[in-house]
Amino acid sequence: MDRPVIRLRNTATRRVEPFVPIDPANVRLYLCGPTVYDRAHLGNARNVILFDVLTRLLRHDYGAPHVTYVRNFTDVDDKINARAAETGRPIADITAETARWYLEDMAALGNAEPDHMPRATGYIPQMIAMIEDLISRGHAYAAEGHLLFAVDTFPNYGQLSGRAVDDMIAGARVEVAPYKRDPMDFVLWKPSGEGEPGWDSPWGRGRPGWHIECSAMAKDLLGPSFDIHGGGNDLLFPHHENERAQSCCADPETEFARVWLHNEMLLVEGRKMSKSLGNFFTVRDLLDRGVPGEVIRFVFLSTHYSKPMDWTEAKAREAEGTLRRWRAMAEPGGGVDPRVLDALRDDLNVPGAIAELHRIAKAGDGATLAASAALLGLLTPELGHWAGAGDDNLVEAVLAARLAARAEKDWARADTLRDALLAAGVVVTDGKGRGWEAGPGYDPSKLEGVA
């Protein structure tokens, strides 16, 4: 069966290249998920939205039953241990609550849940088995209760991130410990002290290092080779580099992931997000401030994943106005516009797809607009609660009151109502004052009690 070609930016080759699945009847992708100890910050949402759109496209082209999407939860980690010690709460309670928060926040942004959401603590036997394989093949060694991967046994180490080993030592998060044979060797398993989570293993009671979990879970759920592995570019080194090394050494006849997809980072009002700058937001912060999840999603999609994305209040206001106009005209029964598909297949050019949605909206084709936007996770019924008809009724009431004031030649009241409409972001679209649309900063709640 001939299918349209999807092209993706493969970090492993540094090229945008045609995507060729290992098995077209079983397309498999894995996204590194959150460490569940706190709310997801705004930047955490970017690769979730990216992979949600990618999965929608793959399911459109290959058929939903032929695509498997996995995103994990890291629920064993020193940050979680520290949060438990700080709060006095059981680790299981913290991870369960935080995972629930994460799913609620990602759903509020229009993301469908993956097919599998494994938790690291559910795959300890698989991790132990993989470590044993690495030891038997000469790629891992024991030292002072730790099991470590020997980087010098994998000649291709550094190829994924494109770094020389000496540079990686100098500038990366590398734990230099006296028991390591080489500074770049990384922990596969470490001993657990009293009060720390631990599991029995051939090397004593302990817990896994960070990197082994994704290798073990991906292999168990997707096989030793699968199609696409992704995450933010902050995970490229050391996490993904180490994942690739240990997986290729445990299963030397395989390639682990064929395509590596990394998104760039997030800025807020042109600056790196930082608590010290006062521009650090969680997804929930914005939702609680009344920014609709669909608006957040639209702003994220408006920048290509390979470029830094700048979240600004101005972009959010503009996105809200656009979505309100589109929702007012969207209707069921249409098909996806081919030019929207072409844009998405060209390295997930979502900004290009959004440009096509503007063209479709300008042409007044509400049915095609709705179907095409749904492929981006926009204009869906699930995300439409924020643009309810009650808001429109407020606007209509003020417009009617202004028309009545003008008819009575009460120019002062007419001007007051006009100013109220402008302050609420309402744009009057005809000379008679009856037609309108939502503009930047649209907030109909400002019209309550005005009429």
Side-chain angles (χ1 to χ4, degrees):
M1 173 182 177
D2 290 334
R3 292 185 179 85
V5 176
I6 297 172
R7 299 168 69 247
L8 297 174
R9 189 177 307 264
N10 188 354
T11 305
T13 62
R14 313 290 189 272
R15 294 193 302 268
V16 176
E17 56 194 22
F19 170 64
V20 181
I22 297 168
D23 177 3
N26 185 22
V27 181
R28 291 156 288 167
L29 56 163
Y30 185 98
L31 176 65
C32 283
T35 300
V36 282
Y37 70 100
D38 207 346
R39 287 279 187 184
H41 66 68
L42 196 56
N44 296 145
R46 192 174 193 192
N47 54 40
V48 179
I49 294 172
L50 168 66
F51 263 62
D52 186 69
V53 173
L54 173 59
T55 303
R56 291 171 189 265
L57 176 62
L58 291 171
R59 287 181 172 151
H60 178 277
D61 284 5
Y62 289 89
H66 303 295
V67 177
T68 302
Y69 172 26
V70 177
R71 186 185 68 220
N72 73 296
F73 285 111
T74 296
D75 61 349
V76 53
D77 185 88
D78 288 345
K79 292 178 181 177
I80 301 171
N81 300 345
R83 183 58 53 89
E86 171 190 325
T87 62
R89 298 182 63 199
I91 286 174
D93 289 358
I94 292 171
T95 58
E97 177 183 65
T98 310
R100 175 174 56 79
W101 287 345
Y102 182 84
L103 292 177
E104 290 171 354
D105 291 349
M106 293 307 109
L109 304 184
N111 299 300
E113 291 190 356
D115 300 290
H116 302 282
M117 294 184 287
R119 299 180 182 227
T121 52
Y123 286 78
I124 300 296
Q126 290 89 335
M127 296 181 212
I128 290 173
M130 181 172 281
I131 295 169
E132 289 179 318
D133 283 346
L134 290 169
I135 294 170
S136 68
R137 296 177 184 275
H139 295 292
Y141 62 94
E144 297 186 17
H146 294 74
L147 273 296
L148 297 115
F149 182 85
V151 165
D152 63 2
T153 67
F154 183 54
N156 293 330
Y157 192 82
Q159 283 188 356
L160 179 62
S161 57
R163 305 186 187 193
V165 171
D166 289 344
D167 293 339
M168 289 188 274
I169 295 172
R173 292 180 291 167
V174 175
E175 180 189 358
V176 178
Y179 50 78
K180 289 185 177 184
R181 294 179 187 172
D182 184 293
M184 291 304 301
D185 293 350
F186 56 88
V187 173
L188 301 169
W189 188 266
K190 55 188 171 182
S192 291
E194 186 175 348
E196 293 179 324
W199 291 262
D200 292 332
S201 78
W203 319 287
R205 182 176 178 275
R207 60 194 190 277
W210 175 28
H211 315 296
I212 193 69
E213 63 178 78
C214 287
S215 288
M217 289 187 282
K219 180 178 179 179
D220 189 81
L221 292 167
L222 300 176
S225 284
F226 56 95
D227 296 297
I228 302 170
H229 194 316
N233 65 1
D234 58 323
L235 295 181
L236 178 53
F237 182 85
H239 186 48
H240 288 167
E241 191 74 71
N242 292 353
E243 264 191 79
R244 177 174 178 263
Q246 65 200 8
S247 293
C248 290
C249 289
D251 292 283
E253 303 304 316
T254 68
E255 57 185 329
F256 190 44
R258 176 168 287 187
V259 175
W260 290 84
L261 205 64
H262 290 94
N263 60 278
E264 268 286 351
M265 293 295 99
L266 175 78
L267 303 173
V268 174
E269 302 290 348
R271 305 173 77 182
K272 183 177 179 180
M273 190 166 64
S274 166
K275 290 181 179 178
S276 64
L277 295 174
N279 67 348
F280 181 93
F281 302 116
T282 66
V283 173
R284 182 52 51 182
D285 287 336
L286 288 183
L287 294 171
D288 287 347
R289 279 169 41 189
V291 182
E294 187 172 32
V295 169
I296 298 172
R297 184 183 184 92
F298 188 100
V299 174
F300 271 65
L301 292 176
S302 298
T303 300
H304 193 269
Y305 73 90
S306 66
K307 298 177 180 178
M309 197 217 82
D310 190 10
W311 171 271
T312 69
E313 295 291 340
K315 288 180 181 178
R317 289 193 298 270
E318 183 178 352
E320 183 172 338
T322 297
L323 288 167
R324 284 190 182 276
R325 290 193 295 275
W326 288 359
R327 280 196 169 275
M329 66 180 298
E331 58 186 24
V336 179
D337 188 281
R339 281 176 279 189
V340 171
L341 282 167
D342 288 345
L344 292 179
R345 290 172 181 142
D346 183 17
D347 190 26
L348 297 176
N349 182 9
V350 184
I354 289 175
E356 296 297 339
L357 295 182
H358 281 289
R359 174 186 57 79
I360 296 165
K362 188 174 182 180
D365 188 348
T368 302
L369 177 67
S372 302
L375 199 57
L376 278 64
L378 298 171
L379 305 189
T380 62
E382 296 82 8
L383 290 184
H385 59 87
W386 65 276
D391 294 342
D392 293 353
N393 293 338
L394 279 171
V395 177
E396 297 288 353
V398 175
L399 285 172
R402 181 169 180 257
L403 285 172
R406 292 173 67 179
E408 295 169 3
K409 295 184 169 33
D410 186 348
W411 306 119
R413 175 161 172 73
D415 288 348
T416 298
L417 293 170
R418 177 201 63 203
D419 292 344
L421 290 165
L422 288 171
V426 177
V427 177
V428 178
T429 58
D430 65 38
K432 296 181 179 180
R434 288 191 294 263
W436 68 279
E437 64 182 29
Y442 179 68
D443 183 1
S445 67
K446 293 179 179 178
L447 298 175
E448 290 185 12
V450 170

